[in-house]
């Protein structure tokens, strides 16, 4: 385990992805160390989701390479947790909160077998950590958006992931829950978990992350938030709309 | 009262029909939960049509209807899984093209037969009262296979139904899981189609599961138990009603149709009961919380 801190959580080297010969992502290069966090910033269709999928080894690379926890994306999956947008999950699905969290144990439990008492204890602990123990028996769909997001993060904790990939984690989340989520992510980073999140909220990116990757199919900037989130870079990624964002945004000017 | 529930099943053919209906109730109820949770109703309906040409072909050449249905059913399950992965064809369009294409082959084959109308009626509407021992054995064996696979893959299939993106992220092959489920659905459809016919078979899968979803809110496993129970009650009660109506009242109630009708009535009753209960609970909650001011706010 001593090597875990030394091996970067994620190394992207000239990553390019194409769907049906249309480039979806090009020239993404950067490193995320253990305990660090990166915000993926860009307009819709800029390749944020594609980049997350590439890190999971779910889309073939056209060029470049991805190293996750010192391994190929496919072999590293066990140590990587993907947190989908909670809005994408069916609220009517008959499943309890604790059942969702224990899903993080499934790969370790293996085929055919069911999660045992040890797995359930780990899941309970993870749920306790996100402060939702008292909702364990409730249906997942009865929780608020922010609470669902926390349950999905508890699932990632139960998975014992070293790299957390979050797709728009602050969508549909109110102000108070936002604070809770930010505190939770900071705590996880303190434990050495690396975080990559897609977001279109620049102020969140600044508070939640140390680095940012600005992209619009190709990489515009990758580095510390102050250097990456400049008016110039955002204008390049978003086009003329960026001017509006810049005049409202709290981030430093170029 | 006992006459009503025991008398029908003294005849051998009705005993066999009951065994078949109970087995199909369990199988349809359990696999139906996956169909409903995955919103595969249209795809399951397509499968009921694609087994038709296999049965028609078997009928024409005098082979086993079961084997004929199995061959075209599994073939179409594989085709459907692959077609719905193709981004250039929307999945509903793919299903519609495939199901009508397959069905038309069945129609062409059956219409070559001289006893066209009678044959078509059997294939479309089934004959649960004509079930023989071989058929019961086939349904039983199919059931064991289907339930064993569903049990073994329960947590993976539920995970895939709930959160497909996380399923792929964890390294499971979503396509393989889908293929397995689609083949299992096909096996149940093939077993049920001779009893209730290709038109009504979909009801055995959807109706009990849809009713169970109204009753069970927090566990897929429990939803399966309730759906299976509803399926069994529907099969048994449907046979009782059709026997009673036909023998003692001269109504001539078709057994397969009556089973489906009973299931539909159960669904409507469950829907009405849960809706009424929900409204009652909401009102009780409001009353509990209502200080005079709150009550005014609610009525306003």
């Amino acid at each position: 385990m001593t090597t875990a801190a030394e091996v970067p959580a994620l190394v992207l080297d000239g990553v390019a992805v194409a769907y049906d010969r249309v480039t979806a992502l090009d020239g993404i290069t950067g490193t995320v160390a253990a305990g660090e966090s990166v915000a993926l910033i860009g307009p819709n269709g800029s390749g944020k989701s594609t980049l997350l999928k590439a890190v999971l080894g779910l889309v073939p690379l056209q060029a470049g390479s991805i190293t996750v926890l010192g391994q190929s994306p496919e072999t590293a999956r066990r140590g990587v947790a993907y947190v989908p947008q909670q809005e994408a999950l069916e609220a009517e699905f008959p499943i309890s909160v604790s059942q969702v969290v224990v899903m993080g144990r499934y790969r370790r439990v293996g085929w055919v077998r069911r999660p045992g008492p040890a797995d359930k204890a780990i899941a309970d602990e993870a749920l306790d950590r996100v402060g939702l123990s008292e909702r364990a028996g409730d249906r997942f769909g009865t929780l608020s958006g922010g609470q669902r997001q926390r349950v999905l993060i508890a699932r990632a904790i139960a998975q014992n992931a070293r790299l957390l990939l979050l797709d728009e984690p602050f969508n549909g989340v109110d102000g108070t829950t936002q604070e809770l989520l930010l505190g939770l992510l900071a705590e996880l980073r303190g434990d050495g978990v690396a975080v990559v999140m897609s977001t279109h909220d620049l102020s969140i990116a600044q508070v939640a992350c140390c680095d940012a990757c600005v992209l619009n199919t190709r990489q515009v900037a990758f580095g510390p938030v102050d250097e990456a989130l400049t008016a110039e870079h955002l204008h390049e990624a978003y086009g003329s709309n960026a001017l509006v964002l810049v005049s409202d945004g709290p981030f430093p000017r170029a | 009262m006992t006459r009503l529930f025991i008398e029908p099943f003294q005849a051998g053919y009705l005993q066999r029909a009951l065994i078949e209906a109970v087995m199909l109730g369990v199988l349809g109820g359990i696999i139906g939960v996956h169909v409903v949770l995955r919103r595969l109703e249209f795809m399951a309906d397509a499968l009921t049509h694609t087994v038709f040409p296999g049965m028609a072909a078997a009928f024409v050449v005098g082979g086993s209807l079961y084997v004929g249905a199995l061959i075209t059913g599994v073939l179409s399950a594989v085709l459907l899984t692959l077609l719905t992965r193709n981004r250039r064809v929307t999945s509903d369009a793919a299903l519609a093209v495939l199901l009508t294409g397959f069905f038309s082959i069945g129609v062409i084959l059956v219409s070559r037969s001289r006893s066209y109308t009678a044959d078509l009626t059997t294939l479309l509407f089934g004959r649960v009262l004509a079930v023989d021992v071989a058929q019961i054995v086939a349904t039983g064996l199919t059931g064991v296979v289907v339930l064993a696979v569903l049990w073994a893959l329960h947590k993976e299939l539920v995970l895939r139904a709930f959160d497909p993106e996380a399923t792929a992220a964890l390294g499971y092959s979503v396509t393989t899981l889908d293929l397995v489920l689609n083949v299992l659905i096909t096996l149940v459809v093939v077993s049920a189609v001779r009893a209730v016919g290709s038109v009504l078979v979909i009801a055995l899968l959807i109706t009990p599961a849809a009713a169970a979803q109204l009753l069970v809110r927090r566990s897929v496993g429990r939803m399966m138990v309730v759906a299976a129970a509803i399926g069994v009650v529907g099969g048994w009660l449907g046979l009782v009603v059709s026997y009673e109506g036909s023998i003692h009242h001269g109504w001539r109630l078709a057994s397969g149709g009556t089973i489906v009708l009973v299931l539909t009535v159960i669904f409507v009753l469950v829907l009405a009961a849960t809706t009424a209960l929900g409204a009652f609970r909401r009102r009780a909650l409001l009353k509990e919380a209502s200080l005079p001011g709150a009550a005014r706010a609610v009525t306003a």
Side-chain angles (χ1 to χ4, degrees):
Chain A
M1 288 311 280
T2 47
T3 52
E6 295 149 24
V7 175
L10 179 62
V11 179
L12 304 162
D13 184 12
V15 173
V17 176
Y19 291 124
D20 294 333
R21 280 184 238 147
V22 178
T23 305
L25 209 56
D26 196 13
I28 312 293
T29 299
T31 301
V32 188
E36 275 187 5
S37 58
V38 179
L40 306 180
I41 300 275
N44 289 336
S46 59
K48 290 174 294 193
S49 303
T50 304
L51 184 54
L52 292 179
K53 278 187 189 155
V55 172
L56 288 163
L58 297 176
V59 290
L61 299 188
Q62 207 189 25
S65 71
I66 297 179
T67 313
V68 182
L69 305 167
Q71 297 165 297
S72 74
E74 289 82 5
T75 45
R77 273 184 195 140
R78 224 176 241 214
V80 182
Y82 174 74
V83 181
Q85 291 191 42
Q86 50 86 12
E87 287 158 327
L89 301 174
E90 177 68 58
E92 290 301 309
F93 202 94
I95 192 164
S96 70
V97 167
S98 59
Q99 285 170 344
V100 172
V101 179
V102 90
M103 283 174 169
R105 306 298 303 163
Y106 280 7
R107 273 275 115 158
R108 268 160 237 268
V109 170
W111 293 98
V112 183
R113 294 168 54 215
R114 300 285 190 263
D119 297 301
K120 283 178 184 152
I122 290 169
D124 287 346
E125 211 182 296
L127 194 56
D128 188 42
R129 217 166 142 192
V130 303
L132 286 170
S133 288
E134 74 280 9
R135 303 298 300 270
D138 292 354
R139 178 159 54 87
F140 179 75
T142 61
L143 271 55
S144 73
Q147 288 171 330
R148 286 183 212 176
Q149 201 70 57
R150 276 149 71 197
V151 170
L152 294 175
I153 291 174
R155 181 173 72 177
I157 296 173
Q159 196 188 329
N160 201 12
R162 308 306 299 159
L163 173 62
L164 211 55
L165 308 176
L166 303 113
D167 191 5
E168 301 282 359
F170 295 96
N171 263 11
V173 167
D174 60 64
T176 338
T177 326
Q178 200 168 298
E179 294 293 312
L180 270 166
L181 278 179
L182 285 171
L184 191 58
L185 290 175
E187 219 179 278
L188 287 170
R189 285 174 50 200
D191 295 347
V193 176
V195 175
V196 177
M197 65 169 81
S198 69
T199 179
H200 49 243
D201 188 328
L202 295 170
S203 51
I204 289 272
Q206 283 208 310
V207 186
C209 301
C210 35
D211 290 340
C213 171
V214 181
L215 67 166
N216 189 357
T217 308
R218 54 182 190 78
Q219 176 171 312
V220 176
F222 195 134
V225 278
D226 318 347
E227 289 166 33
L229 297 181
T230 61
E232 195 187 329
H233 290 150
L234 293 166
H235 185 84
E236 207 179 326
Y238 283 87
S240 52
N241 292 341
L243 292 174
V244 183
L245 291 167
V246 169
S247 59
D248 287 346
F251 44 83
R253 309 296 196 264
Chain B
M1 200 61 188
T2 48
R3 176 188 71 83
L4 205 58
F5 298 120
I6 293 178
E7 188 200 298
F9 303 112
Q10 277 163 354
Y13 74 97
L14 269 163
Q15 284 170 8
R16 288 192 293 277
L18 180 66
I19 294 170
E20 180 78 4
V22 164
M23 288 194 297
L24 293 177
V26 171
L27 276 181
I30 290 176
I31 195 100
V33 167
H34 279 297
V35 175
V36 167
L37 291 180
R38 289 277 317 280
R39 310 225 158 137
L40 292 174
E41 290 91 342
F42 187 41
M43 129 103 206
D45 194 37
L47 283 172
T48 66
H49 288 73
T50 57
V51 300
F52 182 66
M55 294 171 72
F59 194 83
V60 169
V61 302
S64 158
L65 293 189
Y66 185 80
V67 174
L70 199 61
I71 291 171
T72 48
V74 172
L75 180 69
S76 59
V78 174
L79 284 176
L80 284 173
T81 314
L82 298 179
L83 258 181
T84 48
R85 281 189 75 207
N86 188 324
R87 290 149 166 253
R88 285 173 303 146
V89 187
T90 67
S91 62
D92 280 0
L95 288 173
V97 169
L98 206 65
L99 88 86
T100 47
F102 268 71
F103 201 75
S104 63
I105 300 174
V107 171
I108 291 167
L109 285 172
V110 170
S111 50
R112 287 167 55 86
S113 154
R114 251 176 290 163
S115 51
Y116 175 58
T117 324
D119 300 345
L120 194 64
T121 309
T122 309
L123 293 177
L124 289 181
F125 301 110
R127 291 173 69 189
V128 67
L129 296 182
V131 166
D132 57 21
V133 175
Q135 227 165 304
I136 288 175
V137 171
T139 304
L141 290 177
T142 311
V144 169
V145 171
V146 170
L147 294 183
V149 177
L150 281 182
W151 181 83
L153 295 180
H154 183 73
K155 71 179 190 302
E156 286 81 9
L157 288 172
V158 172
L159 172 65
R160 186 265 174 265
F162 175 66
D163 190 346
E165 286 183 315
T167 309
L170 280 169
Y172 293 104
S173 164
V174 171
T175 308
T176 309
L177 288 171
D178 286 359
L179 188 61
V180 170
L181 182 65
N182 289 347
V183 169
L184 295 179
I185 295 169
T186 309
L187 290 176
V188 176
V189 166
V190 168
S191 300
V193 80
R194 284 164 310 164
V196 289
S198 67
V199 176
L200 294 179
V201 66
I202 189 74
L204 290 191
L205 275 71
I206 307 297
T207 313
Q213 194 175 22
L214 296 169
L215 295 167
V216 180
R217 310 296 287 149
R218 284 172 301 178
S219 157
V220 176
R222 253 176 286 153
M223 187 176 157
M224 286 175 164
V225 172
V226 172
I230 292 174
V232 168
V233 170
W236 163 75
L237 202 59
L239 285 176
V240 168
V241 170
S242 85
Y243 176 86
E244 183 65 19
S246 306
I247 301 294
H248 294 290
H249 301 280
W251 292 338
R252 289 169 45 86
L253 301 177
S255 315
T258 311
I259 289 173
V260 172
L261 192 60
V262 167
L263 286 174
T264 312
V265 170
I266 292 175
F267 174 81
V268 172
L269 290 178
V270 169
L271 181 63
T274 48
T275 309
L277 192 68
F280 177 75
R281 275 198 193 139
R282 266 194 301 279
R283 202 174 305 164
L285 273 178
L286 283 178
K287 209 176 267 179
E288 208 171 285
S290 72
L291 302 164
R296 228 176 298 129
V298 169
T299 48

